[in-house]
């Protein structure tokens, strides 16, 4: 871990904040990715099109960043990666995906909507939600990596 | 002549559709790309990195603290300087800001559940979508089950709302 890693993380974060702000300034929308995704899928009509354009942009981002040497990871493995087989990883992704989808929809937001836009607007709901998902994320990884004998 | 005008009126889009859709769509595409470039540059797209950040009892990787810090340092001052004075956004017709202010059990249960899923996989919705172009099989499993989870939650939500139970 080097100082370059931190600077890179910080600059990437600034770009995320800038894009989320521009979406609010120009379109009047919160850059909450879970909400945008769900609404894109569950409603139709011209008023919904911007959501699909935003999602298309999210997919294109890494392609734009690639010539500059920033790439997507080669492997997608969860916190149980000590003994990963393909079947186990499928189960981890199934379970994790359902929890993430259920949780973000019920809790009306994820790391972008609550964690960036909500905290910046000093929304108490978002500050609390961010603290809660950080804490339960910490606890989950602690349990998997250190509490369950490292399965 | 008169007939033509009334015919044109029939064709006009309903008022719910924003007049300058093309510009809104273009801006959404642009901000989507920029956000996703940010996710890639910051390495937030890498689940191993996220799990390293969540692993406070292990070899904790604090890099992602700087992602959130960077994002808030930019968003917060720009928001407070510019948005409260504006009646409407530059392209859209109104600001769509969340109206809920009260903390309810949905928020608490939802956030805790999301945190567990995030810890298990190291993936949250933005990085999941950003990873699509690589075509990794596991990302598609994650996204499909995420959508299923969202559908279940919205059913739960609407059935509780309809039954009129207080929270």
């Amino acid at each position: 871990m080097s100082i370059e890693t931190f600077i890179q993380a910080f600059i990437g974060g600034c770009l995320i904040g800038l894009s989320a702000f521009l979406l609010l300034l120009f379109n009047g929308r919160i850059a909450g990715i879970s909400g945008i995704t769900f609404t894109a899928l569950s409603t139709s009509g011209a008023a919904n099109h911007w959501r699909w354009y935003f999602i298309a942009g999210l997919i294109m981002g890494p392609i734009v960043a690639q010539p500059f040497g920033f790439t997507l990871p080669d492997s997608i493995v969860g916190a149980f990666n000590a003994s990963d087989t393909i079947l186990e990883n499928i189960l981890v992704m199934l379970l994790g995906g359902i929890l993430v989808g259920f949780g973000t929809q019920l809790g009306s937001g994820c790391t972008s909507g609550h964690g960036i836009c909500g905290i910046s607007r000093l929304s108490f709901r978002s500050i609390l939600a961010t603290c809660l998902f950080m804490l339960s994320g910490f606890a989950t990884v602690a349990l998997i990596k250190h509490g369950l004998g490292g399965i | 002549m008169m007939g033509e005008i009334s015919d044109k009126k029939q064709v006009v889009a309903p008022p719910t559709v924003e007049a300058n859709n093309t510009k809104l769509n273009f801006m959404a595409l642009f901000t989507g790309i920029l956000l996703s470039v940010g996710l890639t540059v910051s390495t937030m797209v890498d689940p191993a990195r996220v799990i390293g950040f969540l692993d406070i009892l292990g070899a904790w990787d604090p890099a992602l603290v700087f992602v959130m810090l960077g994002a808030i340092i930019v968003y917060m001052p720009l928001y407070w300087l510019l948005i409260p004075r504006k009646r409407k956004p530059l392209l859209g017709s109104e600001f769509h800001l969340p109206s809920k202010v009260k903390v309810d059990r949905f928020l608490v249960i939802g956030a805790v559940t999301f945190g567990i899923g995030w810890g298990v996989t190291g993936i949250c919705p933005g990085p999941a979508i950003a990873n699509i172009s690589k075509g990794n099989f596991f990302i598609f499993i994650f996204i499909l089950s995420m959508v299923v989870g969202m559908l279940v939650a919205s059913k739960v939500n609407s059935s509780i709302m309809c039954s009129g139970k207080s929270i």
Side-chain angles (χ1 to χ4, degrees):
Chain A
M1 227 175 296
S2 60
I3 188 84
E4 283 82 11
T5 311
F6 296 150
I7 294 170
Q8 197 180 318
F10 183 78
I11 291 170
C14 291
L15 293 177
I16 296 170
L18 179 66
S19 81
F21 173 72
L22 292 176
L23 189 66
L24 184 66
L25 180 69
F26 281 86
N27 291 19
R29 297 287 180 170
I30 295 289
I33 293 164
S34 52
I36 290 174
T37 306
F38 183 72
T39 315
L41 290 164
S42 58
T43 56
S44 59
N48 196 32
H49 286 173
W50 72 269
R51 294 189 177 87
W52 287 108
Y53 279 86
F54 184 78
I55 291 169
L58 289 179
I59 298 171
M60 287 161 64
I63 301 168
V64 172
Q66 195 161 21
F68 302 96
F70 304 105
T71 53
L72 290 169
D74 290 321
S75 66
I76 300 289
V77 283
F80 290 95
N81 64 0
S83 63
D84 58 323
T85 63
I86 288 174
L87 181 65
E88 277 173 0
N89 205 17
I90 288 174
L91 291 175
V92 167
M93 291 300 144
L94 273 174
L95 172 73
I98 286 173
L99 292 172
V100 166
F102 183 87
T104 53
Q105 175 64 22
L106 198 70
S108 25
C110 57
T111 36
S112 54
H114 280 314
I116 295 163
C117 305
I119 288 184
S120 294
R121 289 186 299 109
L122 300 175
S123 149
F124 180 69
R125 269 172 63 86
S126 290
I127 294 168
L128 179 73
T130 307
C131 291
L132 288 173
F133 66 65
M134 287 279 181
L135 287 174
S136 76
F138 289 146
T140 304
V141 174
L143 206 64
I144 293 169
K145 295 255 182 205
H146 310 287
L148 297 176
I151 22 172
Chain B
M1 204 50 187
M2 290 298 276
E4 264 180 53
I5 290 169
S6 61
D7 279 349
K8 272 182 187 167
K9 272 186 181 168
Q10 295 286 316
V11 183
V12 168
T16 47
V17 178
E18 311 247 15
N20 44 4
N21 247 325
T22 313
K23 285 180 186 169
L24 286 169
N25 292 345
F26 173 79
M27 203 58 207
L29 178 73
F30 173 74
T31 53
I33 292 173
L34 190 63
L35 199 148
S36 192
V37 167
L39 289 172
T40 313
V41 170
S42 67
T43 71
M44 185 90 191
V45 286
D46 187 354
R49 181 119 234 169
V50 175
I51 287 169
F53 163 71
L54 292 176
D55 191 11
I56 44 166
L57 298 185
W60 187 57
D61 177 354
L64 296 193
V65 174
F66 294 87
V67 183
M68 192 166 249
L69 208 67
I72 293 175
I73 279 178
V74 172
Y75 194 106
M76 190 186 270
L78 286 173
Y79 173 84
W80 288 104
L81 275 171
L82 295 171
I83 303 299
R85 297 181 203 176
K86 295 187 74 68
R87 277 192 306 113
K88 62 196 197 76
L90 297 179
L91 298 175
S93 55
E94 59 177 308
F95 285 110
H96 300 264
L97 294 169
S99 52
K100 286 184 192 168
V101 284
K102 269 190 170 172
V103 169
D104 54 31
R105 65 177 180 176
F106 296 128
L107 182 88
V108 173
I109 297 168
V112 171
T113 310
F114 164 46
I116 297 170
W118 196 36
V120 166
T121 58
I123 310 169
C124 55
I129 296 170
N131 267 293
I132 285 178
S133 62
K134 189 113 181 179
N136 192 304
F137 170 70
F138 298 117
I139 272 297
F140 293 108
I141 302 277
F142 178 91
I143 293 173
L144 280 176
S145 45
M146 179 176 87
V147 172
V148 170
M150 286 173 165
L151 284 169
V152 174
S154 90
K155 290 265 182 262
V156 169
N157 233 336
S158 58
S159 68
I160 291 171
M161 294 298 180
C162 289
S163 71
K165 274 184 201 161
S166 63
I167 304 159

